[in-house]
Amino acid sequence: DQQVKQNSPSLSVQEGRISILNCDYTNSMFDYFLWYKKYPAEGPTFLISISSIKDKNEDGRFTVFLNKSAKHLSLHIVPSQPGDSAVYFCAATGSGAGSYQLTFGKGTKLSVIP
Amino acid sequence: NAGVTQTPKFRILKIGQSMTLQCTQDMNHNYMYWYRQDPGMGLKLIYYSVGAGITDKGEVPNGYNVSRSTTEDFPLRLELAAPSQTSVYFCASSTQGVGTEAFFGQGTRLTVV
């Protein structure tokens, strides 16, 4: 039973265009969401996060949007660059018991084409 | 700045063998975690620690053990390796709980044959 779903295993985008990566969750107890980026043969690196009290968080070219009623979040990358090519993981956690556990999606592989 | 260091990077084990995956961090983080990532899947939490001397189970702890005698080190022990433990293992650390940014090591690719 996947509590965090990234339904697109892969995404290809032209350099300079917008990349939109989507993530859905089912657990209503989740109240904090993070995006991690992973290059091959490296560990994941933190990209951006959002608390459930917000609906948007922006950091440079990266913006995360949260729609709590739809249990949906998305990561926008504008403009996309070839160095953004990586696997992006959506992760979620709650503030209650077990909040140490980050629940990850399966990831979306982004390819930015020069 | 070393961050989170894992050793070894690669290992092949035979069924029934045991080994310890080493993890050390130099950021003085209280929280440390072990995750595994199976092919095409997200990361799953094996064990975590909120400080020296304190450890607890995550989502998939069976077949593993951990210890946390110092703030810096958080080794993961595999006893009686099984093919189902073939995976990439990541160690991570953070200043607080997982609501804050966690820093990951480069991973250990383990194959059990």
mmCIF file of all heavy atoms in Angstrom, chain B residues 41-80:
data_model
loop_
_atom_site.group_PDB
_atom_site.id
_atom_site.type_symbol
_atom_site.label_atom_id
_atom_site.label_comp_id
_atom_site.label_asym_id
_atom_site.label_seq_id
_atom_site.Cartn_x
_atom_site.Cartn_y
_atom_site.Cartn_z
ATOM 1 N N MET B 41 12.297 1.329 -6.564
ATOM 2 C CA MET B 41 11.482 1.635 -5.384
ATOM 3 C C MET B 41 12.030 2.848 -4.660
ATOM 4 O O MET B 41 13.162 3.287 -4.894
ATOM 5 C CB MET B 41 11.479 0.434 -4.426
ATOM 6 C CG MET B 41 10.982 -0.848 -5.049
ATOM 7 S SD MET B 41 9.247 -0.758 -5.500
ATOM 8 C CE MET B 41 8.482 -0.805 -3.891
ATOM 9 N N GLY B 42 11.220 3.377 -3.768
ATOM 10 C CA GLY B 42 11.691 4.460 -2.911
ATOM 11 C C GLY B 42 12.523 3.915 -1.759
ATOM 12 O O GLY B 42 12.731 2.710 -1.637
ATOM 13 N N LEU B 43 12.997 4.813 -0.936
ATOM 14 C CA LEU B 43 13.810 4.413 0.213
ATOM 15 C C LEU B 43 12.910 3.978 1.365
ATOM 16 O O LEU B 43 11.875 4.608 1.619
ATOM 17 C CB LEU B 43 14.700 5.579 0.662
ATOM 18 C CG LEU B 43 15.918 5.890 -0.194
ATOM 19 C CD1 LEU B 43 15.553 6.561 -1.494
ATOM 20 C CD2 LEU B 43 16.905 6.754 0.590
ATOM 21 N N LYS B 44 13.331 2.943 2.051
ATOM 22 C CA LYS B 44 12.572 2.472 3.210
ATOM 23 C C LYS B 44 13.471 2.503 4.448
ATOM 24 O O LYS B 44 14.621 2.068 4.404
ATOM 25 C CB LYS B 44 12.021 1.075 2.971
ATOM 26 C CG LYS B 44 10.976 1.049 1.860
ATOM 27 C CD LYS B 44 10.211 -0.246 1.793
ATOM 28 C CE LYS B 44 9.117 -0.150 0.745
ATOM 29 N NZ LYS B 44 8.305 -1.373 0.663
ATOM 30 N N LEU B 45 12.904 2.975 5.565
ATOM 31 C CA LEU B 45 13.676 3.138 6.787
ATOM 32 C C LEU B 45 13.868 1.793 7.485
ATOM 33 O O LEU B 45 12.900 1.072 7.745
ATOM 34 C CB LEU B 45 12.961 4.120 7.715
ATOM 35 C CG LEU B 45 13.666 4.471 9.020
ATOM 36 C CD1 LEU B 45 14.971 5.229 8.735
ATOM 37 C CD2 LEU B 45 12.769 5.304 9.909
ATOM 38 N N ILE B 46 15.111 1.479 7.814
ATOM 39 C CA ILE B 46 15.433 0.223 8.493
ATOM 40 C C ILE B 46 15.485 0.448 10.002
ATOM 41 O O ILE B 46 14.777 -0.199 10.772
ATOM 42 C CB ILE B 46 16.781 -0.336 8.006
ATOM 43 C CG1 ILE B 46 16.798 -0.468 6.481
ATOM 44 C CG2 ILE B 46 17.071 -1.693 8.653
ATOM 45 C CD1 ILE B 46 18.169 -0.810 5.924
ATOM 46 N N TYR B 47 16.359 1.361 10.416
ATOM 47 C CA TYR B 47 16.529 1.720 11.815
ATOM 48 C C TYR B 47 16.856 3.203 11.894
ATOM 49 O O TYR B 47 17.351 3.789 10.936
ATOM 50 C CB TYR B 47 17.685 0.934 12.460
ATOM 51 C CG TYR B 47 17.300 -0.375 13.092
ATOM 52 C CD1 TYR B 47 17.418 -1.572 12.383
ATOM 53 C CD2 TYR B 47 16.858 -0.434 14.414
ATOM 54 C CE1 TYR B 47 17.076 -2.785 12.978
ATOM 55 C CE2 TYR B 47 16.525 -1.638 15.011
ATOM 56 C CZ TYR B 47 16.633 -2.811 14.287
ATOM 57 O OH TYR B 47 16.301 -4.005 14.865
ATOM 58 N N TYR B 48 16.610 3.786 13.055
ATOM 59 C CA TYR B 48 17.019 5.155 13.278
ATOM 60 C C TYR B 48 17.495 5.315 14.722
ATOM 61 O O TYR B 48 17.270 4.457 15.569
ATOM 62 C CB TYR B 48 15.885 6.143 12.957
ATOM 63 C CG TYR B 48 14.700 6.073 13.890
ATOM 64 C CD1 TYR B 48 14.618 6.881 15.014
ATOM 65 C CD2 TYR B 48 13.651 5.198 13.613
ATOM 66 C CE1 TYR B 48 13.518 6.819 15.856
ATOM 67 C CE2 TYR B 48 12.555 5.121 14.453
ATOM 68 C CZ TYR B 48 12.486 5.942 15.565
ATOM 69 O OH TYR B 48 11.399 5.879 16.398
ATOM 70 N N SER B 49 18.168 6.444 14.949
ATOM 71 C CA SER B 49 18.684 6.735 16.291
ATOM 72 C C SER B 49 18.522 8.231 16.549
ATOM 73 O O SER B 49 18.822 9.043 15.678
ATOM 74 C CB SER B 49 20.155 6.344 16.376
ATOM 75 O OG SER B 49 20.738 6.862 17.555
ATOM 76 N N VAL B 50 18.073 8.578 17.746
ATOM 77 C CA VAL B 50 17.885 9.995 18.087
ATOM 78 C C VAL B 50 19.033 10.522 18.944
ATOM 79 O O VAL B 50 19.025 11.690 19.346
ATOM 80 C CB VAL B 50 16.532 10.240 18.779
ATOM 81 C CG1 VAL B 50 15.391 9.806 17.869
ATOM 82 C CG2 VAL B 50 16.470 9.541 20.124
ATOM 83 N N GLY B 51 19.996 9.655 19.217
ATOM 84 C CA GLY B 51 21.157 10.081 19.980
ATOM 85 C C GLY B 51 21.952 8.872 20.421
ATOM 86 O O GLY B 51 21.486 7.727 20.298
ATOM 87 N N ALA B 52 23.142 9.110 20.921
ATOM 88 C CA ALA B 52 24.001 8.012 21.359
ATOM 89 C C ALA B 52 23.280 7.169 22.398
ATOM 90 O O ALA B 52 22.670 7.694 23.333
ATOM 91 C CB ALA B 52 25.306 8.556 21.928
ATOM 92 N N GLY B 53 23.313 5.858 22.192
ATOM 93 C CA GLY B 53 22.692 4.918 23.119
ATOM 94 C C GLY B 53 21.221 4.651 22.875
ATOM 95 O O GLY B 53 20.614 3.821 23.549
ATOM 96 N N ILE B 54 20.624 5.338 21.882
ATOM 97 C CA ILE B 54 19.184 5.200 21.626
ATOM 98 C C ILE B 54 18.964 4.811 20.167
ATOM 99 O O ILE B 54 19.368 5.536 19.254
ATOM 100 C CB ILE B 54 18.438 6.519 21.901
ATOM 101 C CG1 ILE B 54 18.735 7.029 23.306
ATOM 102 C CG2 ILE B 54 16.930 6.332 21.700
ATOM 103 C CD1 ILE B 54 18.242 8.443 23.549
ATOM 104 N N THR B 55 18.317 3.663 19.966
ATOM 105 C CA THR B 55 17.991 3.234 18.609
ATOM 106 C C THR B 55 16.563 2.714 18.589
ATOM 107 O O THR B 55 16.020 2.316 19.625
ATOM 108 C CB THR B 55 18.936 2.131 18.098
ATOM 109 O OG1 THR B 55 18.789 0.963 18.922
ATOM 110 C CG2 THR B 55 20.381 2.593 18.122
ATOM 111 N N ASP B 56 15.966 2.699 17.400
ATOM 112 C CA ASP B 56 14.611 2.170 17.274
ATOM 113 C C ASP B 56 14.385 1.667 15.864
ATOM 114 O O ASP B 56 15.085 2.067 14.917
ATOM 115 C CB ASP B 56 13.577 3.233 17.627
ATOM 116 C CG ASP B 56 12.295 2.612 18.180
ATOM 117 O OD1 ASP B 56 12.100 1.377 18.016
ATOM 118 O OD2 ASP B 56 11.488 3.347 18.771
ATOM 119 N N LYS B 57 13.400 0.779 15.733
ATOM 120 C CA LYS B 57 13.114 0.149 14.455
ATOM 121 C C LYS B 57 12.350 1.088 13.536
ATOM 122 O O LYS B 57 11.516 1.876 13.979
ATOM 123 C CB LYS B 57 12.285 -1.125 14.682
ATOM 124 C CG LYS B 57 13.015 -2.197 15.462
ATOM 125 C CD LYS B 57 12.106 -3.395 15.711
ATOM 126 C CE LYS B 57 12.848 -4.452 16.516
ATOM 127 N NZ LYS B 57 11.990 -5.626 16.815
ATOM 128 N N GLY B 58 12.641 0.925 12.245
ATOM 129 C CA GLY B 58 11.880 1.616 11.234
ATOM 130 C C GLY B 58 10.868 0.680 10.600
ATOM 131 O O GLY B 58 10.329 -0.213 11.257
ATOM 132 N N GLU B 59 10.676 0.859 9.301
ATOM 133 C CA GLU B 59 9.647 0.090 8.595
ATOM 134 C C GLU B 59 10.073 -1.346 8.293
ATOM 135 O O GLU B 59 9.254 -2.259 8.299
ATOM 136 C CB GLU B 59 9.310 0.816 7.294
ATOM 137 C CG GLU B 59 8.191 0.197 6.466
ATOM 138 C CD GLU B 59 7.972 0.938 5.163
ATOM 139 O OE1 GLU B 59 8.646 1.976 4.923
ATOM 140 O OE2 GLU B 59 7.132 0.488 4.366
ATOM 141 N N VAL B 60 11.375 -1.553 8.018
ATOM 142 C CA VAL B 60 11.848 -2.869 7.568
ATOM 143 C C VAL B 60 13.069 -3.325 8.366
ATOM 144 O O VAL B 60 14.158 -3.508 7.821
ATOM 145 C CB VAL B 60 12.149 -2.845 6.050
ATOM 146 C CG1 VAL B 60 10.877 -2.774 5.243
ATOM 147 C CG2 VAL B 60 13.088 -1.695 5.687
ATOM 148 N N PRO B 61 12.953 -3.590 9.681
ATOM 149 C CA PRO B 61 14.130 -3.884 10.506
ATOM 150 C C PRO B 61 14.586 -5.346 10.508
ATOM 151 O O PRO B 61 15.704 -5.644 10.952
ATOM 152 C CB PRO B 61 13.638 -3.499 11.901
ATOM 153 C CG PRO B 61 12.169 -3.811 11.866
ATOM 154 C CD PRO B 61 11.722 -3.480 10.463
ATOM 155 N N ASN B 62 13.743 -6.253 10.009
ATOM 156 C CA ASN B 62 14.066 -7.678 10.160
ATOM 157 C C ASN B 62 15.338 -8.054 9.418
ATOM 158 O O ASN B 62 15.515 -7.749 8.231
ATOM 159 C CB ASN B 62 12.900 -8.534 9.653
ATOM 160 C CG ASN B 62 11.688 -8.419 10.558
ATOM 161 O OD1 ASN B 62 11.790 -7.961 11.691
ATOM 162 N ND2 ASN B 62 10.537 -8.823 10.053
ATOM 163 N N GLY B 63 16.223 -8.748 10.118
ATOM 164 C CA GLY B 63 17.483 -9.191 9.535
ATOM 165 C C GLY B 63 18.637 -8.231 9.765
ATOM 166 O O GLY B 63 19.742 -8.477 9.292
ATOM 167 N N TYR B 64 18.367 -7.148 10.479
ATOM 168 C CA TYR B 64 19.384 -6.125 10.719
ATOM 169 C C TYR B 64 19.478 -5.800 12.210
ATOM 170 O O TYR B 64 18.525 -5.977 12.957
ATOM 171 C CB TYR B 64 19.033 -4.834 9.974
ATOM 172 C CG TYR B 64 18.773 -5.001 8.503
ATOM 173 C CD1 TYR B 64 17.470 -5.164 8.025
ATOM 174 C CD2 TYR B 64 19.820 -4.981 7.586
ATOM 175 C CE1 TYR B 64 17.219 -5.319 6.673
ATOM 176 C CE2 TYR B 64 19.579 -5.130 6.229
ATOM 177 C CZ TYR B 64 18.270 -5.298 5.784
ATOM 178 O OH TYR B 64 18.037 -5.454 4.442
ATOM 179 N N ASN B 65 20.632 -5.279 12.581
ATOM 180 C CA ASN B 65 20.810 -4.728 13.917
ATOM 181 C C ASN B 65 21.666 -3.480 13.832
ATOM 182 O O ASN B 65 22.483 -3.338 12.913
ATOM 183 C CB ASN B 65 21.493 -5.738 14.848
ATOM 184 C CG ASN B 65 20.498 -6.704 15.456
ATOM 185 O OD1 ASN B 65 19.573 -6.298 16.148
ATOM 186 N ND2 ASN B 65 20.685 -7.977 15.179
ATOM 187 N N VAL B 66 21.488 -2.583 14.788
ATOM 188 C CA VAL B 66 22.277 -1.359 14.827
ATOM 189 C C VAL B 66 22.759 -1.110 16.252
ATOM 190 O O VAL B 66 22.254 -1.696 17.211
ATOM 191 C CB VAL B 66 21.478 -0.127 14.349
ATOM 192 C CG1 VAL B 66 21.137 -0.221 12.873
ATOM 193 C CG2 VAL B 66 20.230 0.068 15.191
ATOM 194 N N SER B 67 23.728 -0.208 16.346
ATOM 195 C CA SER B 67 24.182 0.275 17.635
ATOM 196 C C SER B 67 24.582 1.734 17.467
ATOM 197 O O SER B 67 24.903 2.177 16.362
ATOM 198 C CB SER B 67 25.363 -0.552 18.147
ATOM 199 O OG SER B 67 26.439 -0.494 17.232
ATOM 200 N N ARG B 68 24.567 2.475 18.554
ATOM 201 C CA ARG B 68 24.954 3.898 18.488
ATOM 202 C C ARG B 68 25.692 4.223 19.788
ATOM 203 O O ARG B 68 25.134 4.741 20.737
ATOM 204 C CB ARG B 68 23.714 4.784 18.343
ATOM 205 C CG ARG B 68 24.042 6.259 18.171
ATOM 206 C CD ARG B 68 24.114 6.650 16.725
ATOM 207 N NE ARG B 68 24.494 8.043 16.553
ATOM 208 C CZ ARG B 68 23.621 9.061 16.532
ATOM 209 N NH1 ARG B 68 22.328 8.835 16.695
ATOM 210 N NH2 ARG B 68 24.051 10.286 16.337
ATOM 211 N N SER B 69 26.979 3.894 19.782
ATOM 212 C CA SER B 69 27.775 4.125 20.987
ATOM 213 C C SER B 69 28.328 5.544 21.032
ATOM 214 O O SER B 69 28.666 6.051 22.111
ATOM 215 C CB SER B 69 28.922 3.115 21.085
ATOM 216 O OG SER B 69 29.706 3.163 19.913
ATOM 217 N N THR B 70 28.443 6.192 19.880
ATOM 218 C CA THR B 70 28.918 7.576 19.817
ATOM 219 C C THR B 70 27.980 8.394 18.949
ATOM 220 O O THR B 70 27.200 7.842 18.172
ATOM 221 C CB THR B 70 30.340 7.676 19.226
ATOM 222 O OG1 THR B 70 30.284 7.276 17.845
ATOM 223 C CG2 THR B 70 31.329 6.787 19.973
ATOM 224 N N THR B 71 28.076 9.707 19.032
ATOM 225 C CA THR B 71 27.267 10.573 18.171
ATOM 226 C C THR B 71 27.635 10.379 16.707
ATOM 227 O O THR B 71 26.778 10.448 15.831
ATOM 228 C CB THR B 71 27.472 12.051 18.569
ATOM 229 O OG1 THR B 71 27.059 12.229 19.909
ATOM 230 C CG2 THR B 71 26.673 12.986 17.661
ATOM 231 N N GLU B 72 28.921 10.107 16.439
ATOM 232 C CA GLU B 72 29.404 10.095 15.066
ATOM 233 C C GLU B 72 29.064 8.817 14.293
ATOM 234 O O GLU B 72 28.876 8.848 13.092
ATOM 235 C CB GLU B 72 30.938 10.259 15.050
ATOM 236 C CG GLU B 72 31.439 11.599 15.542
ATOM 237 C CD GLU B 72 31.420 11.709 17.063
ATOM 238 O OE1 GLU B 72 31.402 10.676 17.755
ATOM 239 O OE2 GLU B 72 31.394 12.852 17.559
ATOM 240 N N ASP B 73 29.027 7.678 14.982
ATOM 241 C CA ASP B 73 28.973 6.397 14.277
ATOM 242 C C ASP B 73 27.642 5.673 14.457
ATOM 243 O O ASP B 73 27.083 5.632 15.558
ATOM 244 C CB ASP B 73 30.116 5.497 14.766
ATOM 245 C CG ASP B 73 31.468 6.122 14.506
ATOM 246 O OD1 ASP B 73 31.727 6.505 13.358
ATOM 247 O OD2 ASP B 73 32.265 6.230 15.469
ATOM 248 N N PHE B 74 27.202 5.041 13.377
ATOM 249 C CA PHE B 74 25.922 4.322 13.416
ATOM 250 C C PHE B 74 26.039 3.115 12.482
ATOM 251 O O PHE B 74 25.527 3.105 11.370
ATOM 252 C CB PHE B 74 24.794 5.258 12.965
ATOM 253 C CG PHE B 74 23.410 4.722 13.182
ATOM 254 C CD1 PHE B 74 23.067 4.027 14.341
ATOM 255 C CD2 PHE B 74 22.419 4.950 12.232
ATOM 256 C CE1 PHE B 74 21.778 3.567 14.541
ATOM 257 C CE2 PHE B 74 21.111 4.494 12.428
ATOM 258 C CZ PHE B 74 20.798 3.797 13.588
ATOM 259 N N PRO B 75 26.727 2.055 12.907
ATOM 260 C CA PRO B 75 26.911 0.883 12.053
ATOM 261 C C PRO B 75 25.651 0.036 11.942
ATOM 262 O O PRO B 75 24.865 -0.064 12.890
ATOM 263 C CB PRO B 75 28.030 0.111 12.758
ATOM 264 C CG PRO B 75 27.935 0.544 14.187
ATOM 265 C CD PRO B 75 27.442 1.955 14.183
ATOM 266 N N LEU B 76 25.486 -0.590 10.784
ATOM 267 C CA LEU B 76 24.361 -1.483 10.506
ATOM 268 C C LEU B 76 24.908 -2.887 10.333
ATOM 269 O O LEU B 76 25.776 -3.118 9.498
ATOM 270 C CB LEU B 76 23.627 -1.046 9.236
ATOM 271 C CG LEU B 76 22.463 -1.922 8.782
ATOM 272 C CD1 LEU B 76 21.273 -1.748 9.722
ATOM 273 C CD2 LEU B 76 22.058 -1.582 7.344
ATOM 274 N N ARG B 77 24.389 -3.819 11.101
ATOM 275 C CA ARG B 77 24.874 -5.195 11.076
ATOM 276 C C ARG B 77 23.864 -6.081 10.371
ATOM 277 O O ARG B 77 22.665 -6.044 10.683
ATOM 278 C CB ARG B 77 25.088 -5.685 12.516
ATOM 279 C CG ARG B 77 25.531 -7.115 12.648
ATOM 280 C CD ARG B 77 27.029 -7.220 12.500
ATOM 281 N NE ARG B 77 27.486 -8.603 12.694
ATOM 282 C CZ ARG B 77 28.660 -9.057 12.267
ATOM 283 N NH1 ARG B 77 29.504 -8.248 11.638
ATOM 284 N NH2 ARG B 77 29.018 -10.307 12.497
ATOM 285 N N LEU B 78 24.365 -6.869 9.404
ATOM 286 C CA LEU B 78 23.548 -7.882 8.754
ATOM 287 C C LEU B 78 24.002 -9.239 9.251
ATOM 288 O O LEU B 78 25.178 -9.587 9.128
ATOM 289 C CB LEU B 78 23.711 -7.857 7.238
ATOM 290 C CG LEU B 78 22.927 -6.847 6.429
ATOM 291 C CD1 LEU B 78 23.504 -5.462 6.601
ATOM 292 C CD2 LEU B 78 22.915 -7.241 4.968
ATOM 293 N N GLU B 79 23.109 -9.988 9.840
ATOM 294 C CA GLU B 79 23.402 -11.350 10.274
ATOM 295 C C GLU B 79 22.724 -12.312 9.305
ATOM 296 O O GLU B 79 21.595 -12.082 8.898
ATOM 297 C CB GLU B 79 22.865 -11.585 11.684
ATOM 298 C CG GLU B 79 23.335 -10.586 12.725
ATOM 299 C CD GLU B 79 24.739 -10.872 13.232
ATOM 300 O OE1 GLU B 79 25.372 -11.824 12.738
ATOM 301 O OE2 GLU B 79 25.199 -10.135 14.118
ATOM 302 N N LEU B 80 23.409 -13.374 8.939
ATOM 303 C CA LEU B 80 22.817 -14.406 8.072
ATOM 304 C C LEU B 80 22.212 -13.782 6.814
ATOM 305 O O LEU B 80 20.999 -13.790 6.602
ATOM 306 C CB LEU B 80 21.742 -15.190 8.831
ATOM 307 C CG LEU B 80 22.221 -15.958 10.068
ATOM 308 C CD1 LEU B 80 21.057 -16.559 10.828
ATOM 309 C CD2 LEU B 80 23.201 -17.061 9.629
#
